[in-house]
Amino acid sequence: MHTKYTFGKSCWRTLAEGLEREWMITNGIGGSSACTVINNSARVHTGYLVASLNPPVDRINVLSKVQEAVTAGERSFNLACQQFLCGENDGYKYLEQFRLDIVPTYCYQTDEISIEKTIAMEYGRNTVAICYTVSGATEPVTIRVTPLFAMRAIDRINTPDDIRKFSSYVDDSVLYVSRNDDDRCTAKFYISEGEFFDRSLIPTSMAAPTFIAEENQYLAIDTRNGFNGLDSQYTPYDAVINVGANETKKFFIICSTEDEDISAKDGFDIVNAYVDRMRKLIELNPNKDSLSQKLTWAADTFIVDRKSTKLKTILAGMPWFTDWARDTMIAMTGLTLCTRRFDDCEKILKSFAMYEKNGLIPNVFPSSADEQPGYNTMDGSLWYFYAVERYLKYTGGKENYEFIKNEIFPVLKKIQYAYEHGTDFSIGMDADGLVHGGSELDQITWMDVRVGDWVVTPRHGKPVEINALWYNALKVMEMLCDKFGEDGSHYTELSERVKKSFVQKFWNEKGGYLYDVADPCEDRIRPNQIYAVSLPYTMLDRDKEIAIVNCVSRHLYTTYGLRSLSYTDAEYKSQYIGKLINRDGAYHMGTSWAFPMGGYVTAYCKVHDYSPDAVKRADDICHRFADHMRDGCINGIAEIFDGTFTCTSRGCFTQAWSVGEILRAYTEDVLPNLKKCK
């Protein structure tokens, strides 16, 4: 099974180099565990235990990480690794190897002493296990493990003053930690053997007990992105474990917010269960090559339970996004259908159907329990038709059509009616059959950045991908009516009107590409036009499709995605970095996005009639992401990259539609046709 990534010391010659690779595992309810490969905290959003108190939202960074120190006779080794406002701990120098084989393992070597630390989450629980194996000591050794507690929302920081709000106590082998200003959860920290040492007993000449806090950690990646990258952690106790000479010692730590007896759990069992579950999921995918298996593994990151629906949903990206309609519907084919998780797909379709309102499905579910979903999306509801069509394409059994007929088809009818006759956000159909939407400060397509009253990419009118999706939706309705014995002539007639108007309004004869928006006309070269070629139902003749793919190839193609704007445009932004306002201004003005590469691969293969050369080219494109998956968030695909030099990942370090669309295109367009080329 292809699930192993191995990294050696050449990947962390300096601390700064070691920050460029991170790992993440998840628990299926919105919680996660993540850090850099050198165990240096670099982001406010990541930690060993990020708990989701209202799945999959209300995320709390409970345990930032643990760090170790070793004493053997007169020798001592500090394995802690962390940048501070002034100085750093350089324990990465003792890190011999880092492995990610479904779960992460740190391998340290201090002279003859070997220490392996493996981390896993308990699926469906806000619980993390940290398992140690210590060997090689020729004299008695003492291991000190220091937990660093954050106990804060994932988008907040702790100041040194915040540490005064923490309290803790030890009962037997469990350390309890809470915040006096937030009673939502208590951290329980259990050690399988050894004892706790109260760090407040350490002699100090300082007025303030800073020895129970690790203050002013420098979060380098957050700082690079223009945030306040200083954080402080609460460190009230050390776990102290003694290892005898020539002894191989195994012990574990469990940290949890669950209301259960964690001392009854075995950390090594949690590791084994996590690995076994993932291997079973990977086995569901009939494609056994390395890229398919690794992307199948990556897909599980985003598929989570939603408490409000008691069903499944898809998180748009980690470590901070929630579940969004357009991202979910675009990603779902790759994440659930290519991986043969058909039951999860059905539950996701039902989750969004439950929240349909005025012909719209939620743009975003709220991040807390007391908020209502937002419906400010023009494309999410239309991508829903695409997701339904793909679901039936992959399943296609009688029971699957019955599921769609009984539970989803009525919702599709409401959506289609609303778009034809008008609904919120100025969404509605004109006499030409094309759909318009948006006005004033509305941002309702995926290019949705707004800073105050500054609408960065106003696409009010008739966006190209919206009308490509509208045509596709009408054809899906026509297909379903035929399948269910209903009269679909209205959808047939309407789709013909849309087809005729689309060519008239969107085709730029002089440029040889599609306008990005019609009525009013927007002639900037953007990637949205690729969907007029790649969707299951399309409207253009082959010459126009070829011209579109050629234009996108020339102006927008990069190694890891499509630019959001042509590099020849006067307002093109080549980098996504710095202060938030600078990044917002570049987000859809040149930044390269990974997810449209899926549509590009499909369109490229289509216009070249899936020739051997075209399929091999598509195979190369997909496999180039395998190199990226060894960088940034290991085994993930980032949300975005710089437009000019697509090397360093930006935004969310692993994104649902990035993973989903590469897996979909590789599964649908490459693998079945690559076999024909041999």
Side-chain angles (χ1 to χ4, degrees), residues 412-423:
L412 297 182
K413 288 181 177 179
K414 291 180 182 179
I415 295 172
Q416 190 282 327
Y417 184 88
Y419 274 67
E420 182 176 348
H421 297 279
T423 185

Side-chain angles (χ1 to χ4, degrees), residues 610-667:
Y610 289 87
S611 69
D613 286 345
V615 172
K616 289 176 183 176
R617 167 67 174 154
D619 185 45
D620 287 342
I621 290 171
C622 292
H623 273 91
R624 281 169 191 161
F625 282 91
D627 181 62
H628 164 60
M629 292 168 72
R630 292 184 53 84
D631 193 19
C633 182
I634 304 167
N635 202 57
I637 299 178
E639 177 189 12
I640 53 177
F641 302 82
D642 290 338
T644 297
F645 185 38
T646 52
C647 179
T648 302
S649 60
R650 309 290 190 192
C652 274
F653 60 30
T654 186
Q655 193 82 351
W657 60 7
S658 300
V659 171
E661 272 296 89
I662 298 305
L663 179 52
R664 180 202 60 78
Y666 184 62
T667 302

Side-chain angles (χ1 to χ4, degrees), residues 122-190:
E122 188 172 12
Y123 191 78
R125 297 282 190 276
N126 290 311
T127 301
V128 66
I130 307 147
C131 299
Y132 292 87
T133 300
V134 183
S135 62
T138 57
E139 60 182 317
V141 170
T142 298
I143 310 291
R144 285 181 177 265
V145 180
T146 305
L148 282 68
F149 293 97
M151 302 296 291
R152 53 161 173 75
I154 59 168
D155 58 350
R156 298 290 185 266
I157 58 169
N158 286 325
T159 67
D161 285 343
D162 287 325
I163 302 303
R164 299 193 182 107
K165 303 171 185 176
F166 285 69
S167 61
S168 60
Y169 67 93
V170 171
D171 184 2
D172 197 11
S173 295
V174 180
L175 166 64
Y176 296 84
V177 177
S178 58
R179 284 184 70 133
N180 300 329
D181 61 340
D182 188 347
D183 62 358
R184 287 181 294 170
C185 68
T186 296
K188 296 186 288 187
F189 187 88
Y190 167 71

Side-chain angles (χ1 to χ4, degrees), residues 65-66 81 123 138 151 154 163 173 209 214 259 329 381 388 403 410 421 430 446 462 473 481 496 565 602 625 648:
K65 62 179 176 180
V66 301
C81 179
Y123 191 78
T138 57
M151 302 296 291
I154 59 168
I163 302 303
S173 295
E214 184 158 294
D259 185 18
M329 299 309 147
S381 299
V388 169
F403 162 69
H421 297 279
D430 279 348
W446 76 275
K462 300 171 182 176
C481 284
E496 286 303 310
L565 181 66
T602 299
F625 282 91
T648 302

Side-chain angles (χ1 to χ4, degrees), residues 326 330 378-380 382-383 435 444-447 459 462-473 502 506 514-518 526-533 535 539 595:
R326 72 170 61 91
I330 293 172
M378 190 180 186
D379 52 351
L382 296 177
W383 279 111
V435 171
I444 55 176
T445 72
W446 76 275
M447 293 184 165
R459 303 182 69 228
K462 300 171 182 176
V464 64
E465 81 281 11
I466 299 300
N467 284 283
L469 286 163
W470 173 233
Y471 177 81
N472 185 75
F502 186 89
F506 284 99
L514 295 175
Y515 292 120
D516 191 56
V517 181
R526 294 191 183 275
N528 306 302
Q529 60 185 306
I530 202 68
Y531 295 110
V533 183
L535 286 168
M539 298 166 277
F595 86 89

Side-chain angles (χ1 to χ4, degrees), residues 598 601-603 605 610 615 618 664-674:
V601 167
T602 299
C605 290
Y610 289 87
V615 172
R664 180 202 60 78
Y666 184 62
T667 302
E668 292 183 353
D669 300 301
V670 175
L671 286 177
N673 297 291
L674 193 63

Side-chain angles (χ1 to χ4, degrees), residues 17 78 198-199 223 247 256 277 343-344 400 515 574 631:
E17 285 186 62
N78 184 7
D198 187 344
R199 289 171 61 85
T223 302
E247 179 185 9
S256 179
R277 175 185 171 276
D343 184 61
D344 287 339
N400 307 113
Y515 292 120
S574 64
D631 193 19

